Amino acid sequence: MDNIPDINNINETYEKALGELKDNKTEQDLSTWRTKYLGRKGILTGLLRNLKSTPIDSRREIGQQLNNIKNLLENNYEEAINAAGKSDNKNSSVNHVDITMPGRPIQNGRLHPTTQIIREVCEAFLSMGFDVAEGPEVEWEYYNFDALNIPADHPARDMWDTLWVESDKQEKGNILLRTHTSPMQARIMENREPPVRVVVPGKVFRYEASDATHEWHFYQVEGLAVDQGLTFADLKGTLFEFAKRIFGENRKIRFRCDYFPFVEPGVDMSIDCFACSDSGSIEPENCSICKRTGWIEIMGAGMVHPRVLEQAGYDPNKYTGFAFGLGPERIAMLKYGIDDIRHFYSNDIRFLNQF
Ligand code: DAH
């Protein structure tokens, strides 16, 4: 199109614009029309801008003509848009609010399954007279190992694949991410006088690859009881009661010897398999939960090693104690039939919504 305005192309543009305006009925079409003719880069605006290129003697007249046309088109557009607005309001559902429609449901938040199980576990021990304490995830080598009767260079350190923290600071050995919650045994004994009854939930870290039963970070709940005259019978009674509260009244428990440097004797505790012994429908020889053994290991435990008591400042001739450590994710996996520990921390809402 010739952009230098003259009377002919001004009239032509006017006719064309009016014609097109009549064909447009909806607000949206009209708005497109307005952009085409009257917008900042519109045809009429372009003509006005190019006014300076017309011969000087006709510029005034043509300028007036252009402005007239622009005003006429604006007026026509206003009329058309008003008419369209009225009919749009009548016909469309967009502007119609149905106040009887039900609202959108609000999604409820909930506690993470690990948090739920930790609370359940702590609740069971709280009701037996224990209290709850928490400790640092970034820990001194001393509390994670030495204070627990695991000296430097002792092969027992290999039981925990450790993530070390690089630091120039060296007060109680090097700095690490705690590999278990047991360091809190020593910290608590350093700060309290017996009798002690405490459980310690918290996060732990291991330098190992994740698979269905291992994560590089997970939770533990540690337990410690120290007093005069505590025996293995107290350990058994307390943990038996715990097992019944979490896994049901019918549970049986079994202890077998195990080695942990900070307890003597050390044991692992199993419960009888609730899947094949309770249901009656699963035969023990087909049970995938207990792997056909009838028993499921749920924690490590033992009588606190005299050296651990001594190192924390307790007289091992006067006091005895028991300790235990369990993995809440493992408890939740058993209780709810979860087959892969990685589900806990992959943040899949379909998994989390089931709890
Ligand atoms: N800290 C041990 C681990 O991470 C678990 C454990 C075993 C804790 C026996 C205890 C215990 O307190 O007595 O493997």
Side-chain angles (χ1 to χ4, degrees):
M1 181 180 185
D2 185 3
N3 272 336
I4 301 171
D6 63 37
I7 291 293
N8 285 337
N9 70 18
I10 290 172
N11 285 335
E12 220 174 87
T13 305
Y14 176 59
E15 297 297 333
K16 193 158 171 256
L18 267 189
E20 281 178 26
L21 187 62
K22 290 211 180 78
D23 293 339
N24 292 321
K25 296 284 179 248
T26 67
E27 287 189 29
Q28 195 172 354
D29 290 345
L30 287 168
S31 157
T32 312
W33 176 91
R34 187 174 192 284
T35 312
K36 180 175 170 189
Y37 286 101
L38 302 169
R40 227 162 25 89
K41 292 183 180 161
I43 293 171
L44 216 73
T45 323
L47 289 172
L48 271 166
R49 200 176 295 127
N50 288 340
L51 199 57
K52 55 183 179 300
S53 321
T54 55
I56 189 99
D57 42 344
S58 57
R59 194 178 296 170
R60 198 182 145 84
E61 188 196 346
I62 288 179
Q64 251 168 14
Q65 178 82 349
L66 268 175
N67 274 324
N68 280 343
I69 283 176
K70 187 167 180 250
N71 290 337
L72 281 171
L73 288 179
E74 287 281 9
N75 291 342
N76 277 300
Y77 168 78
E78 288 301 329
E79 272 172 30
I81 201 87
N82 281 338
K86 277 184 200 134
S87 73
D88 264 12
N89 272 345
K90 229 188 287 150
N91 299 330
S92 89
S93 56
V94 174
N95 296 312
H96 180 65
V97 177
D98 179 356
I99 55 165
T100 65
M101 268 175 70
R104 288 204 193 104
I106 295 167
Q107 287 246 342
N108 278 336
R110 68 193 72 202
L111 294 174
H112 190 278
T114 309
T115 312
Q116 291 186 33
I117 267 293
I118 286 176
R119 290 196 180 179
E120 218 178 300
V121 168
C122 289
E123 202 58 52
F125 285 108
L126 276 167
S127 68
M128 289 190 266
F130 283 69
D131 57 28
V132 178
E134 286 185 302
E137 291 171 4
V138 181
E139 183 57 285
W140 292 111
E141 180 179 5
Y142 171 78
Y143 288 111
N144 201 83
F145 292 124
D146 304 73
L148 295 171
N149 193 32
I150 316 168
D153 305 324
H154 194 283
R157 285 204 180 192
D158 297 346
M159 288 166 72
W160 295 273
D161 300 299
T162 309
L163 285 155
W164 295 93
V165 176
E166 266 182 33
S167 168
D168 295 335
K169 227 170 152 191
Q170 280 216 339
E171 267 169 43
K172 298 192 169 195
N174 291 306
I175 298 175
L176 47 74
L177 299 185
R178 66 176 174 193
T179 59
H180 49 180
T181 42
S182 304
M184 276 303 283
Q185 291 188 26
R187 282 183 177 271
I188 285 165
M189 287 192 277
E190 278 183 2
N191 285 303
R192 295 192 197 179
E193 286 303 315
V196 167
R197 281 179 186 76
V198 64
V199 283
V200 184
K203 201 165 186 183
V204 303
F205 308 83
R206 304 256 172 110
Y207 180 62
E208 56 186 38
S210 305
D211 63 23
T213 51
H214 297 87
E215 262 285 14
W216 69 273
H217 63 111
F218 53 98
Y219 282 81
Q220 285 189 339
V221 179
E222 191 77 15
L224 176 70
V226 184
D227 203 348
Q228 289 189 36
L230 284 186
T231 68
F232 201 88
D234 297 296
L235 178 158
K236 272 182 156 177
T238 308
L239 298 184
F240 187 25
E241 186 56 34
F242 164 76
K244 287 195 287 190
R245 292 197 190 184
I246 299 288
F247 291 104
E249 264 309 304
N250 301 333
R251 290 292 57 81
K252 296 189 187 100
I253 51 170
R254 178 189 75 175
F255 291 96
R256 289 191 306 183
C257 288
D258 202 347
Y259 171 68
F260 301 99
F262 33 90
V263 282
E264 181 57 39
V267 292
D268 74 53
M269 181 175 115
S270 302
I271 52 173
D272 63 325
C273 181
F274 48 83
C276 54
S277 67
D278 278 2
S279 77
S281 57
I282 305 174
E283 289 302 317
E285 31 307 351
N286 299 326
C287 184
S288 63
I289 307 257
C290 64
K291 312 238 163 31
R292 295 175 287 278
T293 63
W295 295 97
I296 306 169
E297 276 178 35
I298 61 165
M299 67 171 102
M303 298 306 289
V304 181
H305 198 292
R307 265 192 230 136
V308 174
L309 293 172
E310 197 166 18
Q311 202 151 345
Y314 285 6
D315 179 356
N317 294 315
K318 192 168 169 197
Y319 297 112
T320 51
F322 63 87
F324 51 90
L326 59 89
E329 290 96 343
R330 179 165 160 77
I331 304 276
M333 287 169 80
L334 292 167
K335 211 172 158 168
Y336 303 119
I338 301 163
D339 58 359
D340 194 323
I341 194 173
R342 289 169 296 189
H343 287 315
F344 284 88
Y345 306 113
S346 60
N347 272 339
D348 187 332
I349 199 80
R350 292 166 302 179
F351 172 77
L352 298 170
N353 269 343
Q354 294 175 47
F355 296 92

